[in-house]
Amino acid sequence: MTTGYVYHEVFGWHDTGTSGGVLPSDPAAGVQPFVHFENAETKRRMHELIVVSGLIDRLERIRPRPATEEEILRIHTPEHLERIKAESRLPKGGDAGDGMSPFGKGGYEIAALAAGGVIAAVDAVVSGRVDNAYALVRPPGHHAVAAQGMGFCIFSNLAIAAAHARAVLGVERIGILDWDVHHGNGTQAAFYDDPSVLTISLHQDNVFPPNSGAVTETGTGAGEGYSINVPLPPGTGDGGYLHAMDEVVVPALRRFRPDLILVASGFDAGAMDPLARQMLTSAGYRALTQRLMDVAAEVCDGRIAMSHEGGYSPIYVPFCGLAVVETLAGAEPFTDPLLPVVSGYAGHDLQPNQKAVIDAAAALAARIG
Ligand SMILES: O=C(CCC1CCCC1)NO
Ligand SMILES: [Zn+2]
């Protein structure tokens, strides 16, 4: 198995500051400055564990290149692109569009490299240079919509890469799985009326964006039935996620038969994440990845490209991210010293409230034509 890997140190220079994010500092109100949740540390630590574990020696390094304006404009409006470029030239940078997603001077170039890094991963998979690929990029992308960035995202990296695959690489059908703990609203919106792109989002119910990602969001027009949402209850662990994989994701992909599978890979569904309340372990992420590889082998010669999204636990993201990339590469597990602790939590087995949501989404998967 040849697994491609995208990472560049400049992703760590995307500056999200200390007074942006979910709680801008306000000393008079008793709010202290804090490092923005979406900072370089978790991504850098994941990369360093991939290096220190030796896994890096089994990976085919893919060099990211900046997405072109034409590529970005396949998903975003000219106004959004021009505003990001303009604010990126300012001494203190700007914001993606929601006031919680700051970037420093030069943020545009880094965001374009993140989107281009995912395009490079998709190019390598579709060309057959690699069997599958992981793009450890930053800033994330899956919340960004056509006219603005949001939720720490500037450009919709994965949607831009999917649009590239369809427009340039001749890929006709794309299945996109989003296992970030937050709803993949931006990716969904980009293809909401498009039956050639199936989007499936597994997320914690109504965390972010607010009032987004309900089971009833199923697509529109010709795209009706090609957006599937699984808003899982808080506390969902390995058993609930694997049941969703077995009952919704795998059946949907078998019926849709994509030529390429893309993943918005966030680790904030992990058992130690500060921004959500799920309980996935590294073993859970490993099993999700293996199940996806198995169905990819059935329907699209194993073609999978993953784009890094959220994940905010500096201690646990590295072990979960390592588990995913090890599985893509067919490598033996290196380590997760926290696994005995987090897998011991009560509630990892499928719970009735989780089964109810999954069964509702499974009915949608069964209707894919
Ligand atoms: O990881 C993320 C960012 C979520 C935050 C954005 C504002 C509050 C929660 N999205 O996938
Ligand atoms: Zn997230």
Side-chain angles (χ1 to χ4, degrees):
M1 189 70 72
T2 305
T3 295
Y5 179 64
V6 175
Y7 180 70
H8 195 294
E9 280 68 14
V10 82
F11 293 142
W13 295 8
H14 169 54
D15 181 1
T16 50
T18 60
S19 290
V22 293
L23 198 61
S25 63
D26 184 351
V31 181
Q32 306 165 59
F34 71 104
V35 176
H36 194 288
F37 281 103
E38 203 293 310
N39 59 67
E41 201 56 12
T42 53
K43 281 89 170 172
R44 187 182 292 137
R45 287 167 64 93
M46 176 173 161
H47 170 69
E48 290 178 354
L49 184 55
I50 287 171
V51 173
V52 170
S53 67
L55 180 64
I56 193 74
D57 299 325
R58 294 186 53 153
L59 304 177
E60 171 85 12
R61 198 69 182 259
I62 299 170
R63 178 179 295 278
R65 52 83 171 170
T68 65
E69 294 195 13
E70 179 190 8
E71 290 167 335
I72 294 170
L73 291 172
R74 287 200 182 101
I75 295 296
H76 291 289
T77 62
E79 294 75 15
H80 177 51
L81 174 59
E82 291 310 313
R83 189 177 66 74
I84 299 301
K85 286 166 59 180
E87 295 190 15
S88 173
R89 289 190 287 265
L90 299 174
K92 292 185 182 300
D95 186 275
D98 64 354
M100 297 192 291
S101 311
F103 55 84
K105 180 176 170 62
Y108 165 69
E109 283 74 17
I110 298 173
L113 192 68
V118 184
I119 291 174
V122 168
D123 281 344
V125 168
V126 174
S127 70
R129 174 184 164 197
V130 299
D131 298 304
N132 54 43
Y134 196 93
L136 180 47
V137 298
R138 181 172 177 259
H142 74 144
H143 292 311
V145 294
Q148 74 161 76
M150 58 183 286
F152 310 161
C153 305
I154 296 173
F155 297 133
S156 192
N157 304 327
L158 201 63
I160 289 168
H164 165 81
R166 286 177 32 68
V168 177
L169 304 181
V171 174
E172 289 183 11
R173 301 159 71 83
I174 301 176
I176 302 180
L177 171 62
D178 186 321
W179 65 39
D180 185 286
V181 79
H182 305 102
H183 178 224
N185 64 296
T187 314
Q188 173 179 292
F191 304 106
Y192 207 53
D193 62 355
D194 186 342
S196 65
V197 180
L198 168 68
T199 63
I200 306 172
S201 182
L202 308 180
H203 47 273
Q204 183 180 329
D205 187 13
N206 204 29
V207 177
F208 187 84
N211 308 311
S212 183
V215 177
T216 51
E217 294 176 20
T218 57
T220 188
E224 165 62 34
Y226 294 95
S227 295
I228 297 178
N229 285 289
V230 189
L232 292 164
T236 301
D238 291 352
Y241 269 89
L242 292 174
H243 189 70
M245 196 75 191
D246 292 341
E247 300 302 316
V248 182
V249 180
V250 171
L253 291 172
R254 278 192 178 130
R255 295 179 65 92
F256 184 66
R257 307 200 65 76
D259 307 303
L260 170 68
I261 293 174
L262 303 179
V263 178
S265 174
F267 293 98
D268 37 14
M272 293 188 157
D273 201 89
L275 281 187
R277 291 295 171 273
Q278 303 298 48
M279 303 200 310
L280 267 176
T281 71
S282 64
Y285 278 109
R286 199 182 300 278
L288 287 175
T289 305
Q290 189 58 61
R291 280 170 164 78
L292 195 68
M293 290 173 71
D294 292 344
V295 69
E298 279 181 46
V299 304
C300 58
D301 295 326
R303 283 186 293 272
I304 296 174
M306 297 192 180
S307 175
H308 196 89
E309 297 288 350
Y312 306 99
S313 167
I315 185 68
Y316 208 42
V317 165
F319 296 121
C320 293
L322 179 69
V324 168
V325 183
E326 281 171 339
T327 307
L328 287 174
E332 286 306 307
F334 177 69
T335 185
D336 174 5
L338 292 164
L339 186 56
V341 171
V342 293
S343 59
Y345 292 171
H348 269 294
D349 49 339
L350 178 66
Q351 305 297 310
N353 61 349
Q354 301 161 7
K355 185 179 186 306
V357 172
I358 293 165
D359 288 349
L364 298 171
R367 292 201 331 243
I368 289 175

